[in-house]
């Protein structure tokens, strides 16, 4: 979702113009950034905590050349979601798992369950079907 989509959604919900809503949203973002710069932390109840943390200098390796590289210390912004956000995301996970279970169940309905001790038939591998009429091509046994 983009800032423009957020503005549109909020303006429709509260009945303000998109221009006025955009100004409010931008002021909110600016306030968050200013609080992080000045106080290194902002806590928004039921949403989460943004915090500026110092990442220590470290040695790394350039993956292309394998050469060791010194990475200087730097400041990074971290975010820890609040309880309400965590719970809503967990609910998404539960719904996805339930949907997957329903999909598996609907695929297996109408099919006989495999008998114990009986191995279900498998599809032949590409190597097994190479050269056969249903395979990937013809194999005359030469260096082809």
């Amino acid at each position: 979702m983009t800032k423009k989509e957020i503005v549109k959604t909020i303006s429709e919900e509260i009945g303000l113009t998109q221009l006025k809503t955009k100004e409010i949203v931008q002021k909110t973002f600016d306030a968050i950034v200013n609080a992080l710069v000045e106080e290194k932390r902002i806590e928004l109840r039921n949403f989460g905590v943004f915090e500026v943390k110092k990442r220590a200098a470290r040695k790394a390796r350039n993956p292309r050349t394998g050469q060791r590289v010194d990475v200087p210390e730097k400041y990074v912004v971290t975010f820890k979601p609040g309880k309400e956000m965590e719970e809503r995301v967990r609910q998404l996970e539960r719904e996805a798992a339930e949907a997957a279970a329903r999909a598996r169940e609907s695929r297996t309905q109408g099919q006989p369950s495999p008998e114990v001790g009986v191995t279900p038939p498998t599809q032949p591998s590409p190597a097994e079907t190479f050269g056969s009429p249903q395979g990937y091509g013809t194999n005359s046994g030469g260096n082809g």
Side-chain angles (χ1 to χ4, degrees), residues 12 17 52 65 72 79 96 140:
E12 289 171 357
T17 66
V52 175
T65 65
F79 176 73
S140 60

Side-chain angles (χ1 to χ4, degrees), residues 52-116:
V52 175
K53 292 187 177 180
K54 186 176 179 180
R55 188 166 289 162
R58 61 189 172 90
K59 300 253 188 246
R61 189 173 301 278
N62 181 329
R64 191 172 282 172
T65 65
Q67 181 181 4
R68 292 185 59 85
V69 180
D70 289 330
V71 178
E73 71 178 24
K74 66 179 180 177
Y75 289 92
V76 295
V77 177
T78 62
F79 176 73
K80 183 176 188 286
K83 289 179 185 176
E84 186 175 315
M85 185 184 295
E86 286 279 352
E87 181 52 40
R88 290 181 70 180
V89 170
R90 273 193 226 104
Q91 181 62 33
L92 275 176
E93 291 173 353
R94 287 191 290 269
E95 291 170 3
E98 290 168 4
R102 284 192 301 272
R104 278 192 305 275
E105 187 176 296
S106 69
R107 282 195 307 264
T108 59
Q109 285 181 346
Q111 296 178 1
S113 58
E115 297 177 34
V116 177

Side-chain angles (χ1 to χ4, degrees), residues 5-140:
E5 292 167 330
I6 291 170
V7 167
K8 185 175 184 212
T9 302
I10 293 172
S11 75
E12 289 171 357
E13 284 182 20
I14 62 176
L16 287 177
T17 66
Q18 285 190 24
L19 193 60
K20 189 65 177 170
T21 305
K22 180 181 178 184
E23 185 179 333
I24 293 167
V25 169
Q26 188 59 53
K27 293 277 186 195
T28 303
F29 291 157
D30 291 345
I32 290 170
V33 171
N34 289 337
L36 284 171
V37 169
E38 293 170 13
E39 301 175 28
K40 310 285 189 258
R41 177 183 166 92
I42 182 167
E43 184 174 333
L44 304 169
R45 297 275 180 211
N46 296 325
F47 185 75
V49 178
F50 292 93
E51 197 168 14
V52 175
K53 292 187 177 180
K54 186 176 179 180
R55 188 166 289 162
R58 61 189 172 90
K59 300 253 188 246
R61 189 173 301 278
N62 181 329
R64 191 172 282 172
T65 65
Q67 181 181 4
R68 292 185 59 85
V69 180
D70 289 330
V71 178
E73 71 178 24
K74 66 179 180 177
Y75 289 92
V76 295
V77 177
T78 62
F79 176 73
K80 183 176 188 286
K83 289 179 185 176
E84 186 175 315
M85 185 184 295
E86 286 279 352
E87 181 52 40
R88 290 181 70 180
V89 170
R90 273 193 226 104
Q91 181 62 33
L92 275 176
E93 291 173 353
R94 287 191 290 269
E95 291 170 3
E98 290 168 4
R102 284 192 301 272
R104 278 192 305 275
E105 187 176 296
S106 69
R107 282 195 307 264
T108 59
Q109 285 181 346
Q111 296 178 1
S113 58
E115 297 177 34
V116 177
V118 176
T119 305
T122 60
Q123 294 290 328
S125 73
E128 294 170 325
T129 61
F130 190 76
S132 67
Q134 75 271 16
Y136 292 97
T138 58
N139 185 0
S140 60

